[in-house]
Amino acid sequence: MHQLEFTHVYDYSGEDESVILPVVLRSGPKQLRVAASVDTGASFCLFGAEIAEALGLDLEGGIRKRFRTANSGFDAFGHEVELSVFGVATTSIVYFFADPMIEKNVLGRIGWLDRVRFGLVHHDNKAYLAQYDQG
């Protein structure tokens, strides 16, 4: 039998089937609390353009990247920010949608999931989290 240890447990039950976690994004002295969906199918963390603005970032001054989906594509701009979930913080390049009409916030594999220890028991609506190298 294998065992993993976690420092935080969160009940994410809500109105839909998404796993939504509270996130704090920080850039310099500015920080913003948002909700973001855990998406293991997303390569990167993606947030709305209005969040970049609220953090004082020059959206189009970031790293431009074209993302492709099964039926479309979109542009986003990457910026280095501190991303914190339940106090488990990491500094990462996250992307902000170029299109201000896209309002989805996503925690993806690169920049978040690859830096934490994450467990999920969807049947119980429980998410478990710890620093990757803790324990």
Side-chain angles (χ1 to χ4, degrees):
M1 176 184 278
H2 297 281
Q3 285 188 301
L4 294 173
E5 293 184 18
F6 299 96
T7 54
H8 298 84
V9 62
Y10 180 72
D11 182 345
Y12 63 85
S13 57
E15 297 178 10
D16 64 16
E17 300 81 31
S18 298
V19 179
I20 298 175
L21 302 180
V23 177
V24 176
L25 293 170
R26 180 174 290 125
S27 179
K30 295 188 177 186
Q31 73 175 23
L32 188 64
R33 295 180 190 280
V34 301
S37 298
V38 176
D39 187 345
T40 60
S43 295
F44 295 92
C45 299
L46 292 155
F47 294 90
E50 76 283 357
I51 294 171
E53 182 179 332
L55 291 173
L57 299 170
D58 172 19
L59 177 66
E60 294 184 1
I63 303 162
R64 184 183 195 100
K65 183 167 180 59
R66 179 78 179 159
F67 289 84
R68 303 235 183 264
T69 66
N71 61 355
S72 67
F74 60 88
D75 291 318
F77 296 93
H79 290 271
E80 184 175 84
V81 299
E82 181 183 279
L83 188 145
S84 177
V85 179
F86 309 128
V88 178
T90 184
T91 300
S92 305
I93 300 290
V94 303
Y95 289 85
F96 298 91
F97 293 105
D99 182 348
M101 299 303 288
I102 303 174
E103 297 180 357
K104 185 145 179 85
N105 299 324
V106 173
L107 293 169
R109 294 187 316 269
I110 300 170
W112 185 69
L113 199 54
D114 62 347
R115 297 162 188 234
V116 297
R117 188 176 316 136
F118 180 72
L120 182 69
V121 181
H122 192 60
H123 184 272
D124 297 334
N125 292 331
K126 300 281 187 205
Y128 300 85
L129 187 70
Q131 291 281 135
Y132 174 76
D133 57 359
Q134 188 173 3

